[in-house]
Amino acid sequence: MSIFSLLFYGLLVLLVLSFFSSFIFTINQQTAAIIERLGKFYSIRQAGLHFKIPIIDNIVGKMTLKIQQLDILVDTKTKDNVFVKVKISVQFQVIKDKVYEAFYKLDNSNSQITSYIFDVVRAEVPKMRLDDVFERKDHIALAVKRELEGSMLDYGYSIIKALVTDLDPDEQVKQAMNRINTAEREKVAAEYKAEAERIKIVAKAKAEAESKKLQGKGTADQRREIAKGILESVEVLNNLGINSQEASALIVVTQHYDTLQSIGDKTNTNLILLPNSPGAASEMLNNMITSFNISSRIGESINLKKKNDANNQK
């Protein structure tokens, strides 16, 4: 077979394929094709294999039926005059039964949606303070979705979801907010530290009070036992014919010598007991007996005077 024959058959195959391709075409999944016949809308074809008349029918456009996302950054101002950048993400989709409206009524869907988002955000955010904007992001997103749903439905678009994905205040405002938060945390930390110190002081005071209470109780018990011992000693001496005054004086002298003995047992004591002469004990005993006698006489005189006064009143 000559070279000319090969070229002829090849050209023939191309012509056949070109002829059939002008009749047959395919549409991918989640896509819709708009067919015009002689320049006028004819039909919408969904995914699959389709036929058309060459030259007469023409595919003028294709539209995706998948969910699309549009991210918009809006600069606006809050009620307290803080400039903030609000990032809005909108998910939308061409309604399968309204491909005609989406293709013929709207030239640029992204531009139209962007205009509505700017209008809604710049109407809602200036009504709020900066803190409210952060707290009410969902309110802004719902307002955007509600406005877009009512407007874009006539153009064949369904608004799936609207989200406020980011809020970015001016840099100086962010620094001021960080300083406020830092000061607030330091204040809380100082309050907790002060409360801890107060608890420690109260606990220490309670412990000291309990210690003093126990110490006082111990001292009282000790003195009570000492008094019992002295009382028993006086009773023993009374049984031997020594009266109470002489017995008390003798006990004091005995305690004096016991104190001297305990001091002598310690080599490093700095205590000096005065008087401490050899006749000090005898002098102390005589002074105490004299004091007891005088006290007894004074007591008897006071009792006698009270008795006379009572008789005179009668």
Side-chain angles (χ1 to χ4, degrees):
M1 185 177 293
S2 64
I3 185 68
F4 296 102
S5 298
L6 291 174
L7 291 174
F8 173 76
Y9 287 116
L11 182 60
L12 182 61
V13 170
L14 290 175
L15 290 173
V16 172
L17 291 175
S18 178
F19 177 77
F20 280 104
S21 65
S22 63
F23 284 93
I24 302 172
F25 66 97
T26 59
I27 303 297
N28 295 331
Q29 186 69 26
Q30 288 294 94
T31 305
I34 294 86
I35 308 296
E36 289 184 355
R37 176 167 289 180
L38 298 175
K40 184 180 180 181
F41 172 76
Y42 176 66
S43 65
I44 296 173
R45 307 291 176 88
Q46 306 291 340
L49 180 66
H50 300 276
F51 297 91
K52 66 181 179 69
I53 301 174
I55 301 174
I56 297 177
D57 294 338
N58 187 29
I59 302 175
V60 294
K62 294 181 179 180
M63 300 199 73
T64 178
L65 302 179
K66 296 178 182 178
I67 295 176
Q68 303 174 66
Q69 179 167 310
L70 180 63
D71 295 325
I72 303 297
L73 189 63
V74 184
D75 285 325
T76 185
K77 186 177 71 170
T78 63
K79 187 176 182 179
D80 47 353
N81 297 321
V82 176
F83 285 91
V84 60
K85 294 179 180 179
V86 184
K87 186 175 181 181
I88 307 290
S89 295
V90 177
Q91 297 176 347
F92 62 97
Q93 184 180 29
V94 175
I95 301 173
K96 191 174 182 179
D97 297 334
K98 291 190 175 185
V99 176
Y100 176 87
E101 289 83 353
F103 185 80
Y104 285 101
K105 284 189 174 183
L106 201 59
D107 181 56
N108 190 332
S109 59
N110 288 358
S111 177
Q112 185 78 358
I113 292 173
T114 300
S115 298
Y116 279 113
I117 291 175
F118 269 83
D119 183 64
V120 174
V121 172
R122 287 180 174 173
E124 292 293 329
V125 173
K127 299 177 184 177
M128 310 176 189
R129 296 185 179 275
L130 181 61
D131 292 340
D132 296 332
V133 174
F134 280 94
E135 293 176 1
R136 302 180 64 187
K137 291 194 302 180
D138 292 342
H139 173 80
I140 300 173
L142 287 174
V144 171
K145 185 176 185 296
R146 184 169 55 250
E147 180 68 23
L148 288 176
E149 279 180 336
S151 303
M152 299 303 294
L153 185 62
D154 294 336
Y155 297 109
Y157 285 88
S158 172
I159 305 301
I160 307 300
K161 199 170 187 63
L163 297 171
V164 178
T165 58
D166 191 21
L167 291 170
D168 188 17
D170 184 75
E171 185 63 30
Q172 294 181 353
V173 175
K174 289 194 290 186
Q175 293 178 2
M177 292 172 66
N178 290 334
R179 288 196 296 269
I180 292 172
N181 291 333
T182 300
E184 186 66 25
R185 291 189 178 93
E186 289 177 351
K187 177 183 176 182
V188 173
E191 289 176 353
Y192 276 110
K193 184 177 180 181
E195 181 65 17
E197 292 294 333
R198 187 190 70 81
I199 293 173
K200 288 169 61 177
I201 292 172
V202 170
K204 183 178 179 181
K206 287 183 178 179
E208 290 179 353
E210 186 67 21
S211 175
K212 295 294 184 182
K213 179 181 178 182
L214 295 176
Q215 183 178 358
K217 187 175 183 300
T219 302
D221 292 341
Q222 180 184 11
R223 289 175 178 173
R224 188 181 299 111
E225 294 300 322
I226 292 173
K228 288 181 180 180
I230 293 173
L231 181 60
E232 293 176 357
S233 299
V234 171
E235 290 177 352
V236 171
L237 293 174
N238 287 338
N239 293 332
L240 296 176
I242 300 174
N243 60 39
S244 298
Q245 294 178 355
E246 294 174 345
S248 299
L250 182 60
I251 291 172
V252 171
V253 172
T254 304
Q255 289 180 344
H256 175 74
Y257 281 111
D258 290 340
T259 302
L260 291 176
Q261 182 179 359
S262 63
I263 293 174
D265 292 337
K266 298 178 181 179
T267 58
N268 58 347
T269 181
N270 295 323
L271 179 64
I272 299 176
L273 187 62
L274 295 174
N276 195 20
S277 61
S282 177
E283 184 180 355
M284 183 186 300
L285 178 59
N286 293 330
N287 290 336
M288 291 182 65
I289 292 173
T290 303
S291 299
F292 286 144
N293 290 330
I294 294 173
S295 298
S296 297
R297 291 174 184 174
I298 293 173
E300 290 176 356
S301 299
I302 292 173
N303 291 333
L304 181 60
K305 183 179 180 182
K306 288 181 178 180
K307 188 175 181 180
N308 293 332
D309 291 339
N311 292 329
N312 293 330
Q313 290 178 358
K314 290 179 180 181

